[in-house]
Amino acid sequence: MSEKVTNKTVFFNPFSKNNPVIVQVLGICSVLAVTAKLEPAIVMGLSVIAVLAFSNVIISLIRSTIPTSIRIIVQLVVVAGLVIIVSELLKAYAYEVSVQLSVFIGLIITNCILMGRLEAFAMANRPWPSFLDGVGNGIGYTIILIIVGFFRELLGSGTLLGYQVVPKSFYEAGYVNNGLMILPPMALIVVACIIWVHRSLHKELQEP
């Protein structure tokens, strides 16, 4: 297989066929925690894309110099440094969103998607494929966050990105927001529905 095709596969596979959330079932905790509203879900997704892409590149560049016995520690230090930078940038330029995300930006450090890609891919591949892998997996993660956040905010609050989208006439006619949608258990149910639809479309992912 050519390098071009390989890079294309590395980048696009996490979008659907090998999605880190609905196929590998990684990063579920943050999906449950930050998707009550669409805006923090988008910001969290972008943050993970940035941290995952650049940590993959850094680890790929220094992989041959990392002693095997401390590779996890080195990976954590690289991720922690990038997370601190992202956290400070959010506080400086998107303070309200950073408050909504609270500790969850810091918990990117423990996101198993990052550690999984660093260990499984960046430690064995060159910087450019590692960058594509990081961006691809970050986008795959973000897609799920956006879908879950879209339905939870729309059905739970009647808004999207803070703007009212359910007409006032609906409420006057008796429509009531579904308060359950803004609770974490409903995020798990929405993710389960996405997994069900995804595996219905991709028969090869179904267990025999």
Side-chain angles (χ1 to χ4, degrees), residues 26-208:
L26 301 174
I28 292 292
C29 294
S30 54
V31 174
L32 306 185
V34 304
T35 54
K37 300 288 184 181
L38 187 55
E39 184 179 15
I42 293 173
V43 173
M44 182 68 170
L46 293 175
S47 300
V48 169
I49 290 172
V51 173
L52 185 50
F54 288 106
S55 61
N56 259 18
V57 171
I58 293 170
I59 293 299
S60 176
L61 286 170
I62 65 174
R63 70 186 188 280
S64 60
T65 65
I66 303 175
T68 303
S69 58
I70 62 168
R71 69 186 190 283
I72 301 299
I73 297 174
V74 173
Q75 292 168 12
L76 284 172
V77 170
V78 169
V79 172
L82 291 169
V83 168
I84 290 171
I85 293 172
V86 168
S87 178
E88 293 304 309
L89 287 173
L90 285 177
K91 289 177 182 177
Y93 297 104
Y95 181 74
E96 291 184 4
V97 178
S98 72
V99 170
Q100 291 180 56
L101 290 171
S102 184
V103 299
F104 296 106
I105 285 293
L107 288 176
I108 291 176
I109 297 169
T110 61
N111 191 316
C112 43
I113 297 174
L114 277 92
M115 299 309 298
R117 299 323 300 166
L118 292 175
E119 185 71 8
F121 198 92
M123 286 293 292
N125 290 276
R126 290 175 296 174
W128 178 242
S130 296
F131 177 77
L132 293 177
D133 178 80
V135 174
N137 277 275
I139 292 175
Y141 168 82
T142 303
I143 288 170
I144 303 304
L145 254 66
I146 290 174
I147 293 173
V148 176
F150 175 88
F151 284 107
R152 290 185 70 193
E153 182 174 359
L154 178 63
L155 300 178
S157 304
T159 61
L160 286 175
L161 295 174
Y163 295 98
Q164 189 67 41
V165 295
V166 176
K168 185 178 180 181
S169 58
F170 280 36
Y171 294 103
E172 293 173 349
Y175 177 81
V176 178
N177 293 327
N178 186 347
L180 289 175
M181 290 299 296
I182 61 176
L183 300 178
M186 287 306 298
L188 189 60
I189 292 174
V190 174
V191 171
C193 291
I194 296 172
I195 292 174
W196 173 64
V197 171
H198 184 262
R199 296 201 176 187
S200 297
L201 297 174
H202 296 273
K203 303 294 184 182
E204 70 276 9
L205 296 176
Q206 297 179 10
E207 296 181 4

Side-chain angles (χ1 to χ4, degrees), residues 14-25:
F15 289 15
S16 177
K17 198 171 184 178
N18 196 29
N19 187 278
V21 179
I22 59 176
V23 177
Q24 301 177 47
V25 195

